[in-house]
Amino acid sequence: MKFSNERRGMQELNTAALPDIVFILLFFFMTTTTFKNTQVQVENQLPSAKVVEHLERTDRTITLLVGQPLKGQAAAEGELSALIQINDRLLGLQSLENEVLKEINTKPQYLRGEVEVIVKVDAGVRLAVVQEIKEKLSALSVRKVHYVALPKGDG
Amino acid sequence: MSFSRNQAPSVNAGSMADIAFLLLIFFLVTTTLETDQGISRLLPSSDTQVPTPKAERNILRISLNAQDAIMVGNQVVTLEEVPGLVMSFLDNGGKDSCSYCQGQGLNALSDSPKAAVVSLSSASQSSYAQYIAIQDALSIAYTELRDREGLRLYQESFSSMKERWASPEVTAEEKQQLTQKLKQLQNLFPQQIVESKLDPQNQAS
């Protein structure tokens, strides 16, 4: 056949450059992938619990870190001596509502009604702070709270 | 010498691409971005509501004081005792309305799990770690009871169903079935937890 005659004389395809292409792809994704990695600015030693569950949806969450500030900023006096960190901002209890509202507004419209809050609270924090946060959140009608805890094995 | 050869021997690098692809796919598949594990709770809604009158027997009062001591009813207990006490309270089955309860039907404890409310009041000076420990104890109690009913009704415990529900392998149809079963079990033992601040005035007495 004419077809096969033509084929016979064809040169082998040089695939030596293919690994380079793949590696370039690999490096591209490696370098462009960024993990959301905010620096923790408060003490954050999480408590542990036996029955812990994963959050199902992560597109509608706001994370609050609560604890003593690690450096610099002195905490407020009295029993509410912990600061809250949202993303890279450190704030006191009094500005929590505003900041949470700001965070809610960064979410797409259809998710704003069902925002869930992940709270990572340092185990040593007094409960007064948590109670205050809970009150403020429920005043904003943010009702789903997820207390982050480390899983603890039996025994 | 072999160096002086005109043509250097070529290495067949065709399979290198395959190896690199394989690596890429392996890491793509095995990388999981861990979400935080923890305890989920629903806060009360902000609009003020008149508390519905409940029979005292349907309320289990748990208090946590500033020294991190725990009181259930009017007894001081250790943390380890809490799940057992909560379970016997929920599972009491005081009225015949609860056919699946296995409790002793005591007069002091709840009528049925659906009527039972756990009231957790905590002092502002108590530590967060202890608070989470109590919340965990409550979760343990509810999960254990739901596990029991799951095994009885569907031959699979609540927690393993939940795990299967969350796993990526589950098919849509299975997931729907599981959702229904999970809802059913949650309805048998609904988590009704009321939280309040412990009033310092009451604490003294």
Side-chain angles (χ1 to χ4, degrees):
Chain A
M1 254 170 107
K2 198 188 176 198
F3 190 69
S4 56
N5 274 347
E6 266 182 357
R7 272 266 152 126
R8 201 173 296 154
M10 213 169 132
Q11 260 204 317
E12 209 183 316
L13 189 67
N14 187 8
T15 55
L18 209 58
D20 300 340
I21 296 168
V22 173
F23 271 119
I24 285 174
L25 269 178
L26 184 67
F27 288 139
F28 173 74
F29 285 115
M30 269 173 68
T31 47
T32 54
T33 308
T34 52
F35 292 96
K36 196 178 168 187
N37 199 6
T38 50
Q39 192 132 34
V40 178
Q41 296 169 37
V42 292
E43 264 180 55
N44 215 248
Q45 197 147 53
L46 297 170
S48 52
K50 273 185 194 144
V51 183
V52 285
E53 47 193 338
H54 283 290
L55 267 186
E56 293 146 29
R57 293 160 304 208
T58 48
D59 54 348
R60 56 202 65 183
T61 56
I62 297 173
T63 308
L64 304 182
L65 280 91
V66 184
Q68 295 289 340
L70 282 177
K71 57 181 177 188
Q73 213 160 342
E77 283 137 52
E79 55 184 22
L80 305 180
S81 61
L83 287 182
I84 301 161
Q85 185 187 348
I86 299 182
N87 290 342
D88 268 327
R89 304 190 298 276
L90 264 186
L91 40 122
L93 268 172
Q94 63 286 344
S95 48
L96 175 68
E97 277 155 307
N98 275 332
E99 294 294 323
V100 170
L101 273 180
K102 261 189 223 165
E103 282 300 309
I104 291 175
N105 281 332
T106 63
K107 307 276 173 209
Q109 187 88 51
Y110 67 101
L111 286 179
R112 285 183 198 166
E114 26 198 311
V115 166
E116 298 172 17
V117 175
I118 300 174
V119 281
K120 290 180 163 181
V121 187
D122 185 73
V125 161
R126 296 288 110 184
L127 204 56
V129 182
V130 183
Q131 285 169 344
E132 197 75 18
I133 291 172
K134 271 160 48 182
E135 271 170 32
K136 295 208 159 155
L137 288 179
S138 77
L140 292 172
S141 52
V142 175
R143 294 183 57 207
K144 277 202 152 178
V145 174
H146 192 73
Y147 303 103
V148 177
L150 302 172
K152 177 165 68 177
D154 291 310
Chain B
M1 252 174 102
S2 60
F3 287 112
S4 57
R5 274 202 291 180
N6 287 0
Q7 254 186 333
S10 69
V11 179
N12 186 10
S15 56
M16 272 289 270
D18 300 342
I19 295 169
F21 261 127
L22 224 60
L23 275 174
L24 185 65
I25 290 165
F26 173 75
F27 284 113
L28 269 176
V29 170
T30 55
T31 307
T32 51
L33 299 175
E34 278 293 305
T35 52
D36 292 316
Q37 286 178 298
I39 300 169
S40 285
R41 287 284 181 271
L42 206 61
L43 296 178
S45 62
S46 56
D47 32 306
T48 46
Q49 24 177 221
V50 184
T52 44
K54 283 237 177 201
E56 186 60 34
R57 60 182 288 182
N58 283 328
I59 303 173
L60 182 71
R61 294 186 191 282
I62 302 178
S63 338
L64 172 65
N65 77 356
Q67 283 77 43
D68 282 352
I70 305 163
M71 193 162 90
V72 176
N74 32 26
Q75 270 178 315
V76 178
V77 297
T78 61
L79 186 62
E80 285 74 36
E81 292 174 86
V82 176
L85 286 167
V86 174
M87 272 166 69
S88 58
F89 163 74
L90 292 171
D91 202 27
N92 181 46
K95 274 186 193 152
D96 351 58
S97 58
C98 172
S99 52
Y100 50 89
C101 292
Q102 294 173 11
Q104 295 160 323
L106 301 174
N107 275 330
L109 299 177
S110 77
D111 288 326
S112 74
K114 280 166 190 156
V117 172
V118 176
S119 155
L120 170 61
S121 45
S122 37
S124 55
Q125 278 303 300
S126 46
S127 77
Y128 178 69
Q130 189 75 347
Y131 171 76
I132 285 298
I134 292 184
Q135 290 280 15
D136 186 34
L138 294 180
S139 300
I140 290 173
Y142 279 104
T143 312
E144 205 154 308
L145 288 172
R146 287 171 179 175
D147 274 354
R148 191 193 73 197
E149 287 310 305
L151 284 174
R152 188 175 68 86
L153 294 171
Y154 311 117
Q155 288 76 48
E156 188 179 3
S157 73
F158 179 77
S159 8
S160 94
M161 273 195 252
K162 206 165 186 186
E163 229 164 80
R164 219 146 57 82
W165 186 87
S167 73
E169 291 108 67
V170 75
T171 62
E173 196 185 337
E174 256 186 304
K175 191 154 184 163
Q176 210 172 8
Q177 279 179 353
L178 282 174
T179 313
Q180 242 168 24
K181 286 178 182 175
L182 289 172
K183 272 226 177 92
Q184 183 74 30
L185 290 176
Q186 277 165 349
N187 281 339
L188 291 180
F189 290 100
Q191 229 172 47
Q192 302 181 93
I193 301 170
V194 179
E195 291 179 46
S196 59
K197 283 185 190 175
L198 194 61
D199 196 348
Q201 270 84 48
N202 294 349
Q203 212 181 325
S205 63

